Amino acid sequence: TEDGGAHWQGFVMVSSNETVKRICIMDSVICWTLSERDICYKDNIFGPYFIQIQYELSDGFFRDFHFTSATKGSAVGITNTSSALYMWTTNGGADWNQDAVLTGNVPGLRGVFFVNDNTGWVVGHSGCIYRTTNNGVSWDSQVSGVTGNLNALYFFDENMGWIVGDDGTILYTENGGTDWTSQNSGTDRDLTTIFFLDSLRGWVGGDSGTVLCTQSGGTAVEEPVEPPGYFNTDYSIGFDPVKRELSVSFFLDKQCQISLDVYNVSGQNLTNLLNSICESGNTVLAFDVSGIIERIPNGLYFVVLKTRDRVYSRQLLLME
């Protein structure tokens, strides 16, 4: 799609005959797909021909994969003997290596997520959670408090994260998984996928067409003290590619604390542009973002403006 999903069209074919379970696109052009047996790869998704098979699994089934860059990624699943399967690559999948640590008594794995090259989590059968802070050299078990299968996870940073699982399970941590607490999903259906745009707004998908949404990080909160309209939708952005200047304008009903951040499509905070008290009325600001642009690839980004209890985002498309 090139219009936000209003229209979808056939684009590229995958060499594998198996059903595609996951897709990951890095730097807007590099693409991997995952099926139960195959990992497929293409270095330019806009080029012709098929997404070719990169790795074929002979023992077990893949369940999930995650890439932190165009070279570093991990894939998890379950072996034919019902134990954990964890594989990793540091060269974009030219070589996939099977981990010897997450084996033996570790049950099958269903989800994996890394917030950077070193820190990540895997989840799976029987409520298992494992965390690494050294790129998988070692893993520490964490207590989930549940015995059902955990299927997918998403971390906003090294501390704040969510896990979804069978029977409507949603778990939340704000200390990297040292402690996990349950959040009320309002359903008993199996939940299988999760994504957060920022620390408050997220979506969960599951069986029987289940789609859940939160605008409070999944936490029940009291009605805000400020009246509706405290921060209205006049928020807009503009970008001057010549000056490499980002302009931001918004309207406030009253004086309040404002933060302005730039995120990529994976929900990672790339930089904070503003964190200060702003007066009521119209505000127009301009930021020199040349330093940011030099270190990020072309693609879609989000400029997120927050007050204490309101969040608005605008899309920023970089095509230099």
Side-chain angles (χ1 to χ4, degrees), residues 187 189-191 204-212:
T187 181
R189 293 173 178 170
D190 293 349
L191 304 177
V204 171
D207 286 358
S208 304
T210 299
V211 179
L212 310 177

Side-chain angles (χ1 to χ4, degrees), residues 25-31 44-46 297-301 317-319:
I25 300 176
M26 297 294 298
D27 300 336
S28 301
V29 295
I30 301 172
C31 177
N44 182 1
I45 196 172
F46 295 101
N298 288 340
L300 182 65
Y301 298 88
L317 182 62
L318 293 181
M319 295 292 291

Side-chain angles (χ1 to χ4, degrees), residues 12 19 22 35 55 100 104 170 234 253 302:
V12 66
T19 301
R22 297 284 189 272
S35 66
Y55 181 84
I170 299 181
D234 289 341
D253 287 341
F302 298 92

Side-chain angles (χ1 to χ4, degrees), residues 129 142-144 159 161 171-181:
I129 305 173
Q142 295 185 334
V143 178
S144 67
N159 296 310
L171 304 178
Y172 170 74
T173 182
E174 55 186 20
N175 56 16
T178 302
D179 302 289
W180 288 95
T181 58

Side-chain angles (χ1 to χ4, degrees), residues 12 15 60 126 159 188 213 273 282 302:
V12 66
S15 295
S126 305
N159 296 310
D188 60 0
C213 176
L273 298 174
N282 290 307
F302 298 92

Side-chain angles (χ1 to χ4, degrees), residues 33 35 55 73 91 122 129 151 183 186 189 191 218 231 244 248 265 267 275 281 284 295 299 303 309-310 314-315:
T33 66
S35 66
Y55 181 84
N91 55 14
V122 294
I129 305 173
N151 301 319
Q183 292 185 335
R189 293 173 178 170
L191 304 177
F231 172 28
R244 295 194 169 190
V248 177
V265 293
N275 190 6
V284 179
R295 60 184 174 85
V303 184
D309 58 2
R310 294 288 191 271
R314 295 292 181 265
Q315 295 182 2

